[in-house]
């Protein structure tokens, strides 16, 4: 297995991330534990800006915070001079609390509520990415009520197939996202935006899907967008200054995954734009991208403790760990595949093929179906790689498991950025209606039969 650049194995066979040994992290912070390598995230931020600015005269990179959104993460991307894409009031609130200048925030969402739109207008987000005509009308009305200029990009549905899991493919015609080009909805949105008193139409947006491993779908989608930009110019004499190409850049989950390079992406996409601009007599637009997974995916590793082994001779060997689908729902949702090692015995040769199962009460709660490992024992540590994106952010409390802590590691330092949930936290918002307590007090009968075998 080829480990990510930032992951080391010490001479005595221990996994080390950001200069921190796995056993120390497990001891100090407990397991399951999400470990984020700070320097990896920072270098991804600078790599993406470097690659894109070689090919685009003006480029704005907004980190898609849905991949992993915490105060510390928002702060980190701000320090790296990236903007932020948010898609809910909660993400927007986190960004503002982290001190992100609102003008660097892009506000997404296919079903923004009235209060979310008001919040966005009140704080003054940099761009509203309008997803449908109802939202547009509401936004127009609210901007008038607040007497605030609101800068808008219209999300187009380009009708392009991205080769990825169909749950994370968003650019097809039959999608809840974006305004259709072929059915005239997108052009209608342009017309209404231009007619609105306080809305300023800046550009168009697409996002064709996630974990995309080939450049081709981007090339096709970019052409569709540029044709639309040309049509808008022709129809309204209006130049759309911004083209937002969304996110979706794939990362390496398994050694066999081969993501494209951002240089290749930028080169191919900029070619399409340059040519379209030439043919349609347009100025080269400002380009925006919204990577989420690319920035945090590979930086994340999740550490688990093995608690039990179940060997079904000739069938399967289960290695059971103290986490699972509540902090990694991606396996059950998208049949996602991962690689893992024994973090405390990382130099030992793999001798058995095992299934790493979680601790939830679901047969499908499996983290990895077949992985070769040394023979694991209770107390060993398992590290699952590439867990930085859409793990913490999609985690839940199924079976009332408290959510794991998240730490940032860097040069031997480890800092908590999200505390581990406690049982007390789990009950913090539970309420007991007084009348249920009264009923409870009346029935003190034991429900189990008397203990002991009467036999
Ligand atoms: N921009 C928009 C408008 C998006 O909807 C998304 C992701 C992104 C940017 C960032 O995409 P990324 O660069 O992270 O691929 N939960 C799924 C992924 C859902 C992505 C949703 N939208 C997963 O775990 O694979």
């Amino acid at each position: 297995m080829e480990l990510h650049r930032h992951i080391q194995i010490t001479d005595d066979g221990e996994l080390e991330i950001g200069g921190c040994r796995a056993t120390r992290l497990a001891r100090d912070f407990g397991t399951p534990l999400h470990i984020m390598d700070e320097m990896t995230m920072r270098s991804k931020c600078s790599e993406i800006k470097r690659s894109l600015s070689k090919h685009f005269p003006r480029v704005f990179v907004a980190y898609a915070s849905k991949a992993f959104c915490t105060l510390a993460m928002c702060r980190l991307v701000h320090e790296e001079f990236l903007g932020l894409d948010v898609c809910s009031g909660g993400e927007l609130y986190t960004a503002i609390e982290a001190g992100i200048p609102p003008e660097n925030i892009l506000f997404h969402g296919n079903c923004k509520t009235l209060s979310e739109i008001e919040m966005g207008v009140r704080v003054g987000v940099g761009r509203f990415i309008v997803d449908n005509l109802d939202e547009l009308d509401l936004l127009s009305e609210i901007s008038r009520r607040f007497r605030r200029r609101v800068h808008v990009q219209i999300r187009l549905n380009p009708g392009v197939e991205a080769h990825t899991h169909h749950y994370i493919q968003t650019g097809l015609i039959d999608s809840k996202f974006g305004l259709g080009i072929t059915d005239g909805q997108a052009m209608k949105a342009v017309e209404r935006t231009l007619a609105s008193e306080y809305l300023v139409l800046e550009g168009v947006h697409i996002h064709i899907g996630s974990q995309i491993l080939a450049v081709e779908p981007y090339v096709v989608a970019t052409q569709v967008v540029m044709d639309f930009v040309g049509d808008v110019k022709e129809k309204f004499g209006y130049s759309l200054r911004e083209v937002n190409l969304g996110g979706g850049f794939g990362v390496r989950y398994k050694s066999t995954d081969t993501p494209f390079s951002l240089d290749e992406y930028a080169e191919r996409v900029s070619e399409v734009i340059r040519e379209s601009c030439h043919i349609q007599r347009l100025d080269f637009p400002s380009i925006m991208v919204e990577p989420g997974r690319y920035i945090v995916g590979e930086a994340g590793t999740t550490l688990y403790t093995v608690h039990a082994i179940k060997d079904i001779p000739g069938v399967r060997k289960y290695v059971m760990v103290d986490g699972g689908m509540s902090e990694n729902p991606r396996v059950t949702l998208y049949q996602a595949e991962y690689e893992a090692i024994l973090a405390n015995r990382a130099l030992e040769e793999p001798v058995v093929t095992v299934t790493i199962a979680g601790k939830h009460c679901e047969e499908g709660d499996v983290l990895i179906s077949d992985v070769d490992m040394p023979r694991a024992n209770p107390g060993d540590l398992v590290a699952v790689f590439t867990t930085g994106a859409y793990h913490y952010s999609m985690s839940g409390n199924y079976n009332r498991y408290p959510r794991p802590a998240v730490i940032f590691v860097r040069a031997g330092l480890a800092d908590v950025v999200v505390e581990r949930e406690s049982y007390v936290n789990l009950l913090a918002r539970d309420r007991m209606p007084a009348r249920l307590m009264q009923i409870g007090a009346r029935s003190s009968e034991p429900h189990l039969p008397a203990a002991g075998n009467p036999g």
Side-chain angles (χ1 to χ4, degrees), residues 145-199:
R145 174 150 52 86
F146 281 65
R147 295 179 191 285
R148 283 272 181 96
R149 281 210 180 291
V150 172
H151 300 267
V152 164
Q153 288 178 358
I154 290 170
R155 178 165 181 170
L156 306 174
N157 184 320
V160 168
E161 187 169 350
H163 301 277
T164 186
H165 193 283
H166 67 101
Y167 281 10
I168 49 179
Q169 177 157 288
T170 51
L172 289 174
I173 300 273
D174 182 3
S175 160
K176 67 174 183 169
F177 295 107
L179 288 138
I181 298 177
T182 43
D183 62 9
Q185 297 267 306
M187 202 51 90
K188 200 178 276 178
V190 168
E191 191 171 2
R192 283 195 203 174
T193 311
L194 292 175
S196 163
E197 196 181 348
Y198 284 91
L199 301 186

Short mmCIF file of all heavy atoms in Angstrom, two decimals, residues 145-199:
data_model
loop_
_atom_site.label_atom_id
_atom_site.label_comp_id
_atom_site.label_asym_id
_atom_site.label_seq_id
_atom_site.Cartn_x
_atom_site.Cartn_y
_atom_site.Cartn_z
N ARG A 145 -36.10 44.69 0.52
CA ARG A 145 -36.50 45.04 1.89
C ARG A 145 -35.30 45.55 2.71
O ARG A 145 -35.41 46.51 3.44
CB ARG A 145 -37.14 43.81 2.55
CG ARG A 145 -37.47 43.96 4.00
CD ARG A 145 -38.68 43.13 4.41
NE ARG A 145 -38.64 41.72 4.04
CZ ARG A 145 -38.06 40.76 4.78
NH1 ARG A 145 -37.43 41.08 5.90
NH2 ARG A 145 -38.08 39.52 4.39
N PHE A 146 -34.14 44.90 2.54
CA PHE A 146 -32.95 45.31 3.29
C PHE A 146 -32.23 46.48 2.61
O PHE A 146 -31.26 47.00 3.15
CB PHE A 146 -31.96 44.14 3.39
CG PHE A 146 -32.29 43.11 4.44
CD1 PHE A 146 -33.43 42.32 4.36
CD2 PHE A 146 -31.43 42.90 5.52
CE1 PHE A 146 -33.70 41.35 5.32
CE2 PHE A 146 -31.71 41.94 6.48
CZ PHE A 146 -32.85 41.16 6.37
N ARG A 147 -32.67 46.84 1.41
CA ARG A 147 -31.95 47.82 0.58
C ARG A 147 -30.47 47.49 0.49
O ARG A 147 -29.59 48.33 0.72
CB ARG A 147 -32.12 49.24 1.14
CG ARG A 147 -33.54 49.75 1.10
CD ARG A 147 -33.63 51.14 1.70
NE ARG A 147 -35.01 51.51 1.89
CZ ARG A 147 -35.83 51.86 0.91
NH1 ARG A 147 -35.41 51.91 -0.33
NH2 ARG A 147 -37.10 52.16 1.16
N ARG A 148 -30.20 46.25 0.18
CA ARG A 148 -28.81 45.78 0.08
C ARG A 148 -28.56 45.20 -1.30
O ARG A 148 -29.35 44.39 -1.78
CB ARG A 148 -28.58 44.63 1.07
CG ARG A 148 -28.42 45.01 2.50
CD ARG A 148 -26.94 45.30 2.78
NE ARG A 148 -26.77 45.64 4.16
CZ ARG A 148 -26.40 44.77 5.10
NH1 ARG A 148 -26.18 43.52 4.78
NH2 ARG A 148 -26.24 45.16 6.34
N ARG A 149 -27.46 45.58 -1.90
CA ARG A 149 -27.05 44.94 -3.15
C ARG A 149 -26.62 43.52 -2.86
O ARG A 149 -25.85 43.28 -1.93
CB ARG A 149 -25.85 45.67 -3.74
CG ARG A 149 -26.23 46.88 -4.43
CD ARG A 149 -25.37 47.31 -5.59
NE ARG A 149 -25.97 48.54 -6.09
CZ ARG A 149 -27.14 48.59 -6.70
NH1 ARG A 149 -27.81 47.50 -6.98
NH2 ARG A 149 -27.66 49.75 -7.06
N VAL A 150 -27.10 42.60 -3.66
CA VAL A 150 -26.72 41.20 -3.47
C VAL A 150 -26.11 40.69 -4.78
O VAL A 150 -26.71 40.84 -5.84
CB VAL A 150 -27.94 40.34 -3.07
CG1 VAL A 150 -27.59 38.87 -3.08
CG2 VAL A 150 -28.45 40.77 -1.69
N HIS A 151 -24.92 40.12 -4.66
CA HIS A 151 -24.20 39.66 -5.86
C HIS A 151 -24.51 38.18 -6.09
O HIS A 151 -24.36 37.36 -5.19
CB HIS A 151 -22.70 39.90 -5.68
CG HIS A 151 -22.41 41.36 -5.48
ND1 HIS A 151 -22.10 42.19 -6.52
CD2 HIS A 151 -22.47 42.14 -4.36
CE1 HIS A 151 -21.95 43.43 -6.06
NE2 HIS A 151 -22.16 43.42 -4.75
N VAL A 152 -24.92 37.91 -7.33
CA VAL A 152 -25.51 36.60 -7.61
C VAL A 152 -24.74 35.83 -8.68
O VAL A 152 -24.29 36.41 -9.66
CB VAL A 152 -26.98 36.84 -8.08
CG1 VAL A 152 -27.55 35.61 -8.75
CG2 VAL A 152 -27.85 37.29 -6.92
N GLN A 153 -24.63 34.52 -8.45
CA GLN A 153 -24.27 33.61 -9.54
C GLN A 153 -25.44 32.65 -9.70
O GLN A 153 -26.05 32.26 -8.71
CB GLN A 153 -23.01 32.79 -9.18
CG GLN A 153 -21.74 33.60 -9.20
CD GLN A 153 -20.52 32.79 -8.78
OE1 GLN A 153 -20.61 31.60 -8.45
NE2 GLN A 153 -19.36 33.43 -8.78
N ILE A 154 -25.72 32.29 -10.93
CA ILE A 154 -26.82 31.37 -11.17
C ILE A 154 -26.27 29.97 -11.37
O ILE A 154 -25.36 29.76 -12.18
CB ILE A 154 -27.64 31.83 -12.39
CG1 ILE A 154 -28.38 33.11 -12.00
CG2 ILE A 154 -28.62 30.76 -12.86
CD1 ILE A 154 -29.03 33.81 -13.14
N ARG A 155 -26.82 29.04 -10.58
CA ARG A 155 -26.34 27.66 -10.74
C ARG A 155 -27.04 27.00 -11.91
O ARG A 155 -28.26 26.86 -11.94
CB ARG A 155 -26.59 26.85 -9.46
CG ARG A 155 -26.14 25.41 -9.64
CD ARG A 155 -26.02 24.65 -8.36
NE ARG A 155 -25.56 23.29 -8.61
CZ ARG A 155 -25.18 22.45 -7.69
NH1 ARG A 155 -25.22 22.81 -6.43
NH2 ARG A 155 -24.78 21.24 -8.00
N LEU A 156 -26.23 26.59 -12.87
CA LEU A 156 -26.76 25.94 -14.06
C LEU A 156 -26.72 24.43 -13.88
O LEU A 156 -25.84 23.90 -13.21
CB LEU A 156 -25.90 26.28 -15.28
CG LEU A 156 -25.64 27.75 -15.58
CD1 LEU A 156 -24.65 27.86 -16.73
CD2 LEU A 156 -26.95 28.45 -15.92
N ASN A 157 -27.66 23.78 -14.51
CA ASN A 157 -27.56 22.34 -14.60
C ASN A 157 -27.07 22.00 -16.01
O ASN A 157 -27.82 22.12 -16.96
CB ASN A 157 -28.93 21.71 -14.35
CG ASN A 157 -28.82 20.21 -14.33
OD1 ASN A 157 -28.09 19.63 -15.13
ND2 ASN A 157 -29.51 19.58 -13.42
N PRO A 158 -25.80 21.61 -16.12
CA PRO A 158 -25.24 21.47 -17.47
C PRO A 158 -25.64 20.20 -18.20
O PRO A 158 -25.35 20.05 -19.38
CB PRO A 158 -23.73 21.50 -17.21
CG PRO A 158 -23.58 20.96 -15.83
CD PRO A 158 -24.81 21.35 -15.07
N GLY A 159 -26.30 19.25 -17.49
CA GLY A 159 -26.69 18.00 -18.15
C GLY A 159 -25.50 17.16 -18.57
O GLY A 159 -25.49 16.57 -19.63
N VAL A 160 -24.49 17.13 -17.70
CA VAL A 160 -23.26 16.39 -18.03
C VAL A 160 -23.08 15.23 -17.07
O VAL A 160 -23.29 15.37 -15.87
CB VAL A 160 -22.04 17.33 -17.94
CG1 VAL A 160 -20.74 16.55 -18.00
CG2 VAL A 160 -22.09 18.35 -19.06
N GLU A 161 -22.66 14.11 -17.63
CA GLU A 161 -22.47 12.94 -16.78
C GLU A 161 -21.04 12.91 -16.25
O GLU A 161 -20.09 12.92 -17.02
CB GLU A 161 -22.75 11.68 -17.61
CG GLU A 161 -22.74 10.44 -16.76
CD GLU A 161 -23.27 9.24 -17.52
OE1 GLU A 161 -23.80 9.42 -18.63
OE2 GLU A 161 -23.14 8.14 -16.99
N ALA A 162 -20.90 12.89 -14.93
CA ALA A 162 -19.58 12.74 -14.33
C ALA A 162 -19.48 11.29 -13.87
O ALA A 162 -20.42 10.78 -13.27
CB ALA A 162 -19.44 13.68 -13.16
N HIS A 163 -18.37 10.65 -14.14
CA HIS A 163 -18.31 9.22 -13.82
C HIS A 163 -17.99 9.02 -12.35
O HIS A 163 -16.85 8.87 -11.97
CB HIS A 163 -17.29 8.54 -14.72
CG HIS A 163 -17.64 8.70 -16.15
ND1 HIS A 163 -18.54 7.87 -16.77
CD2 HIS A 163 -17.27 9.62 -17.06
CE1 HIS A 163 -18.69 8.27 -18.02
NE2 HIS A 163 -17.94 9.33 -18.22
N THR A 164 -19.02 9.05 -11.55
CA THR A 164 -18.82 8.85 -10.12
C THR A 164 -20.09 8.20 -9.60
O THR A 164 -21.01 7.93 -10.35
CB THR A 164 -18.50 10.22 -9.43
OG1 THR A 164 -18.18 9.97 -8.06
CG2 THR A 164 -19.67 11.19 -9.51
N HIS A 165 -20.14 7.91 -8.30
CA HIS A 165 -21.33 7.27 -7.75
C HIS A 165 -22.56 8.15 -8.00
O HIS A 165 -22.49 9.37 -7.85
CB HIS A 165 -21.13 7.08 -6.25
CG HIS A 165 -22.16 6.17 -5.64
ND1 HIS A 165 -23.44 6.59 -5.38
CD2 HIS A 165 -22.09 4.88 -5.27
CE1 HIS A 165 -24.12 5.58 -4.85
NE2 HIS A 165 -23.33 4.53 -4.78
N HIS A 166 -23.69 7.53 -8.39
CA HIS A 166 -24.81 8.37 -8.82
C HIS A 166 -25.39 9.23 -7.69
O HIS A 166 -26.02 10.24 -7.94
CB HIS A 166 -25.90 7.55 -9.53
CG HIS A 166 -26.62 6.60 -8.65
ND1 HIS A 166 -27.86 6.87 -8.15
CD2 HIS A 166 -26.27 5.39 -8.18
CE1 HIS A 166 -28.24 5.84 -7.39
NE2 HIS A 166 -27.30 4.94 -7.41
N TYR A 167 -25.15 8.88 -6.42
CA TYR A 167 -25.62 9.73 -5.32
C TYR A 167 -24.83 11.03 -5.25
O TYR A 167 -25.27 12.00 -4.64
CB TYR A 167 -25.46 9.02 -3.97
CG TYR A 167 -26.52 8.00 -3.66
CD1 TYR A 167 -27.44 7.60 -4.61
CD2 TYR A 167 -26.60 7.43 -2.39
CE1 TYR A 167 -28.40 6.65 -4.32
CE2 TYR A 167 -27.55 6.49 -2.09
CZ TYR A 167 -28.45 6.09 -3.05
OH TYR A 167 -29.38 5.14 -2.76
N ILE A 168 -23.61 11.04 -5.78
CA ILE A 168 -22.81 12.26 -5.67
C ILE A 168 -22.57 12.88 -7.04
O ILE A 168 -21.63 13.61 -7.28
CB ILE A 168 -21.49 12.03 -4.89
CG1 ILE A 168 -20.74 10.81 -5.38
CG2 ILE A 168 -21.75 11.91 -3.42
CD1 ILE A 168 -19.40 10.56 -4.66
N GLN A 169 -23.48 12.56 -7.96
CA GLN A 169 -23.42 13.13 -9.30
C GLN A 169 -24.54 14.16 -9.38
O GLN A 169 -25.70 13.86 -9.12
CB GLN A 169 -23.67 11.98 -10.27
CG GLN A 169 -23.73 12.39 -11.69
CD GLN A 169 -23.42 11.19 -12.58
OE1 GLN A 169 -22.28 10.75 -12.64
NE2 GLN A 169 -24.41 10.66 -13.19
N THR A 170 -24.21 15.38 -9.70
CA THR A 170 -25.21 16.44 -9.53
C THR A 170 -25.52 17.22 -10.81
O THR A 170 -26.38 18.07 -10.81
CB THR A 170 -24.73 17.45 -8.47
OG1 THR A 170 -23.42 17.83 -8.82
CG2 THR A 170 -24.74 16.85 -7.10
N GLY A 171 -24.80 16.91 -11.89
CA GLY A 171 -24.96 17.73 -13.08
C GLY A 171 -25.91 17.16 -14.12
O GLY A 171 -26.01 17.66 -15.22
N LEU A 172 -26.60 16.05 -13.79
CA LEU A 172 -27.52 15.46 -14.77
C LEU A 172 -28.82 16.25 -14.82
O LEU A 172 -29.19 16.92 -13.86
CB LEU A 172 -27.84 14.01 -14.36
CG LEU A 172 -26.71 13.00 -14.52
CD1 LEU A 172 -27.11 11.65 -13.94
CD2 LEU A 172 -26.34 12.85 -15.99
N ILE A 173 -29.53 16.14 -15.96
CA ILE A 173 -30.78 16.88 -16.13
C ILE A 173 -31.76 16.56 -14.99
O ILE A 173 -32.36 17.46 -14.40
CB ILE A 173 -31.45 16.51 -17.48
CG1 ILE A 173 -30.51 16.84 -18.64
CG2 ILE A 173 -32.83 17.16 -17.61
CD1 ILE A 173 -30.59 18.23 -19.18
N ASP A 174 -31.89 15.28 -14.68
CA ASP A 174 -32.82 14.89 -13.61
C ASP A 174 -32.10 15.02 -12.27
O ASP A 174 -31.66 14.05 -11.69
CB ASP A 174 -33.29 13.45 -13.84
CG ASP A 174 -34.29 13.02 -12.78
OD1 ASP A 174 -34.66 13.86 -11.92
OD2 ASP A 174 -34.71 11.85 -12.80
N SER A 175 -31.97 16.25 -11.82
CA SER A 175 -31.27 16.51 -10.56
C SER A 175 -32.01 17.63 -9.86
O SER A 175 -32.60 18.50 -10.50
CB SER A 175 -29.83 16.96 -10.87
OG SER A 175 -29.27 17.65 -9.77
N LYS A 176 -31.98 17.61 -8.54
CA LYS A 176 -32.66 18.70 -7.82
C LYS A 176 -31.84 20.00 -7.87
O LYS A 176 -32.31 21.04 -7.48
CB LYS A 176 -32.93 18.29 -6.38
CG LYS A 176 -31.70 18.12 -5.53
CD LYS A 176 -32.07 17.86 -4.07
CE LYS A 176 -30.81 17.76 -3.23
NZ LYS A 176 -31.08 17.77 -1.80
N PHE A 177 -30.59 19.88 -8.33
CA PHE A 177 -29.71 21.05 -8.30
C PHE A 177 -29.72 21.85 -9.60
O PHE A 177 -29.71 21.28 -10.69
CB PHE A 177 -28.27 20.62 -8.03
CG PHE A 177 -28.06 19.99 -6.69
CD1 PHE A 177 -27.85 18.63 -6.57
CD2 PHE A 177 -28.08 20.76 -5.54
CE1 PHE A 177 -27.66 18.04 -5.33
CE2 PHE A 177 -27.89 20.19 -4.29
CZ PHE A 177 -27.68 18.82 -4.19
N GLY A 178 -29.73 23.13 -9.46
CA GLY A 178 -29.45 24.01 -10.60
C GLY A 178 -30.60 24.23 -11.55
O GLY A 178 -31.61 23.53 -11.54
N LEU A 179 -30.43 25.26 -12.37
CA LEU A 179 -31.46 25.63 -13.34
C LEU A 179 -31.11 25.07 -14.71
O LEU A 179 -29.97 25.23 -15.18
CB LEU A 179 -31.57 27.15 -13.39
CG LEU A 179 -32.23 27.70 -12.11
CD1 LEU A 179 -31.52 28.94 -11.62
CD2 LEU A 179 -33.70 27.99 -12.35
N GLY A 180 -32.08 24.40 -15.31
CA GLY A 180 -31.83 23.74 -16.59
C GLY A 180 -31.53 24.75 -17.69
O GLY A 180 -32.14 25.83 -17.75
N ILE A 181 -30.59 24.38 -18.53
CA ILE A 181 -30.28 25.24 -19.68
C ILE A 181 -31.26 24.91 -20.81
O ILE A 181 -31.88 25.81 -21.37
CB ILE A 181 -28.82 25.02 -20.14
CG1 ILE A 181 -27.87 25.41 -19.01
CG2 ILE A 181 -28.54 25.84 -21.41
CD1 ILE A 181 -26.41 25.19 -19.31
N THR A 182 -31.42 23.60 -21.07
CA THR A 182 -32.23 23.19 -22.23
C THR A 182 -33.70 23.57 -22.07
O THR A 182 -34.37 23.86 -23.05
CB THR A 182 -32.09 21.68 -22.48
OG1 THR A 182 -32.17 21.02 -21.21
CG2 THR A 182 -30.79 21.34 -23.16
N ASP A 183 -34.20 23.58 -20.84
CA ASP A 183 -35.63 23.89 -20.67
C ASP A 183 -35.88 25.39 -20.47
O ASP A 183 -37.00 25.82 -20.17
CB ASP A 183 -36.23 23.09 -19.52
CG ASP A 183 -35.57 23.40 -18.18
OD1 ASP A 183 -34.76 24.35 -18.12
OD2 ASP A 183 -35.84 22.70 -17.20
N GLY A 184 -34.85 26.19 -20.59
CA GLY A 184 -35.03 27.64 -20.57
C GLY A 184 -35.09 28.27 -19.18
O GLY A 184 -35.16 29.50 -19.05
N GLN A 185 -35.02 27.44 -18.15
CA GLN A 185 -35.11 27.97 -16.77
C GLN A 185 -33.93 28.90 -16.44
O GLN A 185 -34.10 29.93 -15.82
CB GLN A 185 -35.10 26.81 -15.77
CG GLN A 185 -36.28 25.87 -15.90
CD GLN A 185 -37.40 26.29 -14.97
OE1 GLN A 185 -37.20 26.44 -13.78
NE2 GLN A 185 -38.58 26.47 -15.51
N ALA A 186 -32.77 28.49 -16.88
CA ALA A 186 -31.57 29.27 -16.55
C ALA A 186 -31.64 30.66 -17.20
O ALA A 186 -31.31 31.67 -16.57
CB ALA A 186 -30.32 28.53 -17.00
N MET A 187 -32.08 30.70 -18.43
CA MET A 187 -32.17 31.99 -19.12
C MET A 187 -33.23 32.88 -18.45
O MET A 187 -33.06 34.09 -18.33
CB MET A 187 -32.49 31.76 -20.60
CG MET A 187 -32.10 32.87 -21.51
SD MET A 187 -30.37 33.45 -21.34
CE MET A 187 -29.51 32.42 -22.51
N LYS A 188 -34.31 32.22 -18.00
CA LYS A 188 -35.34 32.95 -17.29
C LYS A 188 -34.75 33.58 -16.00
O LYS A 188 -35.04 34.73 -15.64
CB LYS A 188 -36.49 32.00 -16.93
CG LYS A 188 -37.79 32.71 -16.63
CD LYS A 188 -38.90 31.73 -16.33
CE LYS A 188 -39.58 31.20 -17.59
NZ LYS A 188 -40.64 30.21 -17.28
N ALA A 189 -33.89 32.82 -15.33
CA ALA A 189 -33.25 33.32 -14.11
C ALA A 189 -32.37 34.53 -14.42
O ALA A 189 -32.34 35.51 -13.67
CB ALA A 189 -32.44 32.22 -13.44
N VAL A 190 -31.69 34.47 -15.55
CA VAL A 190 -30.84 35.60 -15.95
C VAL A 190 -31.71 36.84 -16.14
O VAL A 190 -31.42 37.92 -15.61
CB VAL A 190 -30.09 35.28 -17.27
CG1 VAL A 190 -29.43 36.53 -17.85
CG2 VAL A 190 -29.04 34.20 -17.03
N GLU A 191 -32.79 36.64 -16.85
CA GLU A 191 -33.69 37.76 -17.15
C GLU A 191 -34.23 38.38 -15.86
O GLU A 191 -34.20 39.59 -15.68
CB GLU A 191 -34.83 37.23 -18.02
CG GLU A 191 -35.68 38.32 -18.60
CD GLU A 191 -36.67 37.77 -19.64
OE1 GLU A 191 -36.70 36.54 -19.86
OE2 GLU A 191 -37.41 38.58 -20.21
N ARG A 192 -34.69 37.51 -14.96
CA ARG A 192 -35.25 38.04 -13.70
C ARG A 192 -34.20 38.73 -12.85
O ARG A 192 -34.46 39.71 -12.17
CB ARG A 192 -35.87 36.89 -12.88
CG ARG A 192 -37.20 36.47 -13.44
CD ARG A 192 -37.94 35.62 -12.43
NE ARG A 192 -38.90 34.79 -13.12
CZ ARG A 192 -39.64 33.85 -12.55
NH1 ARG A 192 -39.52 33.61 -11.26
NH2 ARG A 192 -40.49 33.14 -13.25
N THR A 193 -32.98 38.18 -12.84
CA THR A 193 -31.92 38.80 -12.04
C THR A 193 -31.60 40.19 -12.59
O THR A 193 -31.45 41.16 -11.84
CB THR A 193 -30.65 37.93 -12.03
OG1 THR A 193 -31.02 36.59 -11.72
CG2 THR A 193 -29.65 38.41 -11.01
N LEU A 194 -31.51 40.25 -13.90
CA LEU A 194 -31.18 41.54 -14.52
C LEU A 194 -32.27 42.58 -14.25
O LEU A 194 -31.99 43.77 -14.12
CB LEU A 194 -30.96 41.37 -16.03
CG LEU A 194 -29.71 40.57 -16.44
CD1 LEU A 194 -29.66 40.38 -17.95
CD2 LEU A 194 -28.43 41.25 -15.94
N ALA A 195 -33.50 42.08 -14.13
CA ALA A 195 -34.62 43.01 -13.92
C ALA A 195 -34.77 43.42 -12.46
O ALA A 195 -35.47 44.39 -12.14
CB ALA A 195 -35.92 42.35 -14.40
N SER A 196 -34.10 42.70 -11.59
CA SER A 196 -34.28 42.97 -10.16
C SER A 196 -33.46 44.19 -9.72
O SER A 196 -32.32 44.36 -10.15
CB SER A 196 -33.86 41.72 -9.38
OG SER A 196 -33.66 42.05 -8.05
N GLU A 197 -34.07 44.99 -8.85
CA GLU A 197 -33.45 46.26 -8.49
C GLU A 197 -32.12 46.11 -7.75
O GLU A 197 -31.16 46.82 -8.00
CB GLU A 197 -34.46 47.02 -7.63
CG GLU A 197 -34.17 48.49 -7.47
CD GLU A 197 -35.21 49.15 -6.57
OE1 GLU A 197 -36.26 48.52 -6.28
OE2 GLU A 197 -34.97 50.29 -6.16
N TYR A 198 -32.08 45.17 -6.81
CA TYR A 198 -30.91 45.08 -5.95
C TYR A 198 -29.98 43.91 -6.25
O TYR A 198 -28.95 43.75 -5.62
CB TYR A 198 -31.33 45.02 -4.47
CG TYR A 198 -31.77 46.38 -3.95
CD1 TYR A 198 -33.10 46.77 -4.02
CD2 TYR A 198 -30.83 47.26 -3.43
CE1 TYR A 198 -33.49 48.01 -3.56
CE2 TYR A 198 -31.21 48.51 -2.97
CZ TYR A 198 -32.54 48.89 -3.04
OH TYR A 198 -32.91 50.12 -2.60
N LEU A 199 -30.40 43.04 -7.19
CA LEU A 199 -29.53 41.90 -7.50
C LEU A 199 -28.54 42.28 -8.60
O LEU A 199 -28.90 42.91 -9.59
CB LEU A 199 -30.35 40.69 -7.95
CG LEU A 199 -31.40 40.16 -6.96
CD1 LEU A 199 -32.03 38.86 -7.48
CD2 LEU A 199 -30.81 39.93 -5.58
#
